[in-house]
Structure formats: structure tokens, C-alpha cells
Amino acid sequence: LLSALSAGAARAQGPGPAAGRQGGAAPGRGAEAPQTPQQLAPIDLTGYWVAVISEDWRWRMITPAKGDYASIPMTAEGMKLADTWDPAKDEAAGEQCRSYGAPGLMRGPIRLHITWLDATTLKVETDYGMQTRLFRFNNVAALTGAPTWQGRSLAKWEMPRGRGGADAPQVGSLTVVTDRLRPGYLRKNGVPYSANTQLTEFWDVAADEGDRWIVVTSIVYDPKYLLVPFTTALHFKKEADGAKWDPTPCSSRW
């Protein structure tokens, strides 16, 4: 997890120390407390956001037919397992959330509610499946326990050099690496991902004609069921409030 996050940092390097600056506090001033990830945020992800699904509609807005695996680079083993998909069996086993794990969740017809749980943890809730993801900026190595649908996620701000002064526009992005995932589905019709899956995401914010957008580049690595990483781009539009927030439980069929 940590090495993967370090690799993601190659997209943008954080600003180095100011030229000529000496260590220690300035004369007459006490040492300042380090800023928290919440204070350091180069972009604001908080609020309500709705997925705008303008591509792959037939796989994301409805449950595809069994055997409709187009566009996913599956291994033969993955196809064989997907061909056994039976939503009734998932329901009987209490596994109706298999397509709501982090690698598949974000491609659904969802709304996000993003807040700060505390100064070092972003909280991402979804109305679709009523899931909660926690993006922790501190070391997650100490997190133990059984794998879960949302796994453990280590987050890091990426801030390019030369951001300018205090009045310069905020630029930057968020890298999130998630592992310790419970096996689930990449697509509602049983396309599997394994317990060895790692999800890497790059979260960016953009503006267009007065609208605010989050663009999430998602890369799913699974050596067991994917021939190559499965890469997609997801788009979320900012909403004024939570008036359209509609929590619905997991379902194997829709």
C-alpha cells in the first residue's frame, strides 16, 4: 500500500523547502504546530456530488445480462467464475453487497456526501448501497481485522511545485490507495475481483461554466482476475445541498 502510494506521487511533487531558510523557529516566535491534512487541502472535496454517467450506460445504470463482460480485461479464471453468477445465491448468503465494494461502487448511479470525519480523515458516504469509505492521511499499517467491502484507504495530497503565494488559486489532487478488500464484483453481473485487489484513485476538481466537478481516475489491479489494470474515469457534479440524497440498501438485482 505505502509503496503504491509513493509511486502515485510521481504525478506531482510537493513543494520543497524555501531557498535559504534555516531550521528552527524565527526569533521571538514559538515553534508552530504542523498543519493537519484538512488544513493543507489544496482542493475542497466536501459537499454533495452526483455521478454523471455519460459512458458505459448499459453496464452502470442497469444490471447487465449474465455473460456481458465487454470492456473488462478478464482472465480465463475470472470469466469462468463470472459465468457462475447467481443473484439469488448471493441474497441467500447475505452477500448482496458484493458489487458495492470500493472497486465497483464508484461506477454505480450514486451520490456522494463528503465530509471531514476528523482533521486527518475524509469520509465519503454513498446513498447507493449506503456505504462509507474512510480516506486516512495517517499511517494505516496499524489497521487490522478482516478485509471489508471498502478496505483500508491511505490518502495523500499531491501539490505541484510553484503554487504561488497565498492568494494564488488552489491546485492539486488527492491520491488514494485502497487494499485489504473483501472479494466482490467489478460489475453487477458477477465480474469478480479477488482479495489481492488494489485500487488506486486520483481525485481532481475542475470547474466548467459555473459548475464544480470531481474527476476520479480509477485503476483496479488484480493479478488473479484481470489481465491488465482496469482503468476508468468517473465524473461527479457538485449539488447545492442534500435534497436529492436517497439512501438505498445493497441489492443483487438492481
Side-chain angles (χ1 to χ4, degrees):
L1 179 70
L2 297 177
S3 60
L5 189 54
S6 298
R11 300 173 76 230
Q13 296 294 322
R21 180 175 296 174
Q22 301 295 317
R29 297 179 59 190
E32 296 181 0
Q35 289 184 293
T36 66
Q38 183 177 11
Q39 293 170 321
L40 290 170
I43 53 177
D44 183 12
L45 296 170
T46 61
Y48 289 90
W49 306 80
V50 60
V52 176
I53 299 177
S54 57
E55 75 288 321
D56 294 346
W57 197 95
R58 83 170 197 255
W59 299 310
R60 298 173 62 186
M61 290 298 293
I62 60 176
T63 301
K66 187 173 183 176
D68 186 357
Y69 312 140
S71 82
I72 298 183
M74 299 168 64
T75 63
E77 185 178 3
M79 290 184 182
K80 183 177 180 179
L81 181 58
D83 286 338
T84 68
W85 174 65
D86 184 340
K89 287 185 178 180
D90 286 343
E91 290 167 350
E95 296 280 292
Q96 59 268 33
C97 287
R98 290 183 70 88
S99 64
Y100 295 80
L105 174 70
M106 301 297 287
R107 286 181 60 76
I110 67 176
R111 282 184 163 83
L112 308 177
H113 182 211
I114 305 178
T115 57
W116 283 95
L117 179 66
D118 55 44
T120 63
T121 309
L122 266 176
K123 182 179 181 180
V124 181
E125 299 172 277
T126 72
D127 60 353
Y128 178 72
M130 301 167 64
Q131 300 296 304
T132 299
R133 302 184 64 191
L134 298 178
F135 297 168
R136 294 178 170 88
F137 288 79
N138 50 349
N139 192 346
V140 300
L143 293 179
T144 58
T148 64
W149 296 128
Q150 306 311 323
R152 63 174 184 179
S153 297
L154 180 61
K156 180 180 180 181
W157 294 120
E158 307 290 357
M159 294 175 281
R161 294 182 183 274
R163 289 195 301 162
D167 296 329
Q170 288 186 317
V171 292
S173 63
L174 177 68
T175 297
V176 182
V177 179
T178 302
D179 64 2
R180 294 189 62 80
L181 287 159
R182 186 175 173 180
Y185 298 151
L186 280 177
R187 187 171 285 171
K188 199 99 176 186
N189 61 344
V191 174
Y193 63 83
S194 75
N196 293 325
T197 294
Q198 178 178 283
L199 171 65
T200 299
E201 298 164 292
F202 303 105
W203 294 59
D204 295 279
V205 172
D208 180 46
E209 297 183 353
D211 292 324
R212 295 276 289 173
W213 294 81
I214 290 175
V215 180
V216 181
T217 303
S218 170
I219 308 173
V220 181
Y221 304 87
D222 181 6
K224 186 171 185 179
Y225 296 136
L226 293 176
L227 293 169
V228 296
F230 180 51
T231 302
T232 55
L234 311 172
H235 302 84
F236 300 89
K237 184 178 178 181
K238 185 75 176 285
E239 296 191 301
D241 52 39
K244 297 180 180 179
W245 184 254
D246 183 25
T248 54
C250 298
S251 171
S252 295
R253 300 175 185 272
W254 51 269

